[in-house]
Every structure is written in structure tokens, then in C-alpha cells.
Amino acid sequence: MTPHCNIASFPANRIVTRRQAGGTTDAEAYYTRCFTINRHWKNRKRKIHYLFTDGKEMAEEYDLKTDELTVRKWRHKSPLGAQGQWQVEVGEPLADPVTSLDPEVIKESCSNPVFTRKDTKTSFQWRIRNLPYHKDVFSVSVEPSERCIIIKTSNKKYYKKFVVPDLDRSQLPLDSSAISFTHSNNTLIVSYKKPKEILTLEQELLKELKKLKGTGEGDVDCKTQ
């Protein structure tokens, strides 16, 4: 049976104000939303596919039990109109395609640090696995001029600079007092407490998403109307 999806369009002055349409500022822009539910009993998810008028796509997945965002990824079209690769913002990185079975081909070591983002209801959260150092070695700070967070170690074994796209889209400042971090089992966990504006935005958006009905299993390739 062909999966079914519901599609609806919304004016930008209600939605783009919160989402910034992936960077779009045109007040008359709108986006089309395709909503499906994966009904697999082991992995119940709410899947939403956003199509923006500038050609960008955003796909999100929410846990149906906790309503927590588990995946957010973006895809942009090339200047010639070809679909680009998905870029993960929240969730586990996409696996690289296997390009060779030759054991002599150089591959990324599985012991290299792995940077992922996994949010909670109240915090943006990043996890960096394979960092076998003591917590005292790490420092996490905010660089206001570059609107980024910087992680570094005193032994100069690790350095990472990254932005918080949600704050950029909402044009909110970075607050150094909102950052905390811990380290356990060779994993550094960095948390940034979500500002009230983000919490309100997410609560309102989730209410709208719950109003949409979805049936069928699997992903649906949706087209704008």
C-alpha cells in the first residue's frame, strides 16, 4: 500500500519568523510540510519533511513517546538544480558510502573523536566520543564575536569550534552562563540551556505538528503543491 502524507502550506509571517525558512527572509515566502508516521513498533517516530520555496529541504524526526527531536538534517540544491547531500544538524552523522573493499585503502580510524548533537527538552547538547582525557583537561567557552562555542584541551589533543544554528536563526545572543559540560566513559557532553524564546518556539511548533495526521510507514517523497 502506498504511504499517505498530508500536505499543508502556511504563510511565512507565522512560521518563517520562528524558522527563518533556513535563512529566507521574504515575508511572503511559505513552506510546505509533509508529515508521516513510522508505525514500526520498535521505533515509533514522527517524521516531518519541510520544503522551502528557495529549494532547501529540512527533515526532522521526533520520538512519539517523549516528543524529543532526534534528527534534523538539511539538503540544498546546487546552482544547476541538482539535489545535494543531506547535512545532519541533530542526530548521528550519516554513514559514508563504501567506496572500496581494498584493505589498503586509507579509512578514517574508528578511534577518532566523533562529534554529534543530541538535544534534550531543555538543552542543546553535543557529545564527542573517543576523548580519553580527564575532565580537567577540557575547557568550553563562548566566542561572542564569531557567535560560536569553542572546545579545547590543555594538552592540545582536541580543538573544536561550532555554531548553534537555532540561536542564529532566531537571532539570539550566545550566553556563556548557559554552558556546562561533563565527561564520562571517554565522552565529553556539552550542554547549552535553551533560552525561553527557543522553548516557546519549540512548544508552539510541536503543537502544530501534532495537529497534522499521518498514516502509513516509511518516508514519503512529497512535492510542493
Side-chain angles (χ1 to χ4, degrees):
M1 182 176 179
T2 303
H4 170 75
C5 70
N6 293 316
I7 300 179
S9 297
F10 300 87
N13 58 3
R14 183 178 178 187
I15 301 299
V16 175
T17 300
R18 290 182 281 162
R19 281 286 180 190
Q20 294 296 312
T24 300
T25 56
D26 183 1
E28 297 303 321
Y30 67 91
Y31 73 88
T32 301
R33 175 186 299 173
C34 171
F35 173 82
T36 67
I37 295 181
N38 184 339
R39 295 185 179 278
H40 196 287
W41 70 274
K42 289 185 178 179
N43 194 18
R44 291 176 61 83
K45 299 177 182 178
R46 177 182 291 110
K47 296 185 177 182
I48 306 97
H49 184 199
Y50 303 82
L51 304 177
F52 298 97
T53 55
D54 59 2
K56 293 185 180 72
E57 295 180 63
M58 182 176 73
E60 292 182 328
E61 294 182 12
Y62 292 82
D63 185 290
L64 279 178
K65 184 177 180 179
T66 65
D67 288 330
E68 289 186 349
L69 175 69
T70 58
V71 173
R72 177 186 292 140
K73 55 187 179 180
W74 293 84
R75 183 164 65 178
H76 300 224
K77 287 187 177 181
S78 72
L80 297 179
Q83 290 288 4
Q85 297 295 317
W86 285 105
Q87 302 296 320
V88 176
E89 181 178 310
V90 177
E92 290 291 326
L94 299 176
D96 292 329
V98 177
T99 56
S100 175
L101 298 178
D102 188 343
E104 296 185 0
V105 173
I106 297 176
K107 298 180 181 179
E108 185 177 7
S109 172
C110 61
S111 63
N112 286 346
V114 179
F115 182 90
T116 61
R117 175 174 159 185
K118 186 180 185 300
D119 292 352
T120 68
K121 284 288 189 64
T122 58
S123 297
F124 303 123
Q125 194 172 91
W126 300 267
R127 296 169 181 254
I128 306 93
R129 301 193 292 270
N130 299 331
L131 291 178
Y133 315 120
H134 192 273
K135 180 182 177 182
D136 294 342
V137 170
F138 297 94
S139 71
V140 182
S141 59
V142 165
E143 182 55 60
S145 63
E146 298 184 39
R147 292 187 57 80
C148 68
I149 296 173
I150 297 176
I151 302 171
K152 57 185 177 182
T153 59
S154 58
N155 60 11
K156 300 184 179 180
K157 295 292 186 179
Y158 185 78
Y159 180 89
K160 181 73 175 181
K161 179 190 294 186
F162 59 97
V163 300
V164 187
D166 310 70
L167 299 183
D168 287 344
R169 285 191 288 266
S170 296
Q171 299 180 344
L172 295 173
L174 281 166
D175 180 4
S176 59
S177 66
I179 293 181
S180 62
F181 69 94
T182 185
H183 185 270
S184 178
N185 298 321
N186 293 339
T187 300
L188 180 70
I189 303 174
V190 178
S191 300
Y192 186 100
K193 187 177 179 181
K194 294 177 181 178
K196 60 183 180 181
E197 294 89 346
I198 294 293
L199 293 174
T200 300
L201 180 157
E202 292 179 344
Q203 291 168 0
E204 292 179 353
L205 181 60
L206 186 59
K207 288 180 182 179
E208 292 186 9
L209 295 180
K210 286 185 173 181
K211 293 177 184 178
L212 299 177
K213 303 295 182 180
T215 61
E217 296 183 359
D219 296 325
V220 182
D221 183 17
C222 297
K223 305 298 183 183
T224 54
Q225 293 180 316

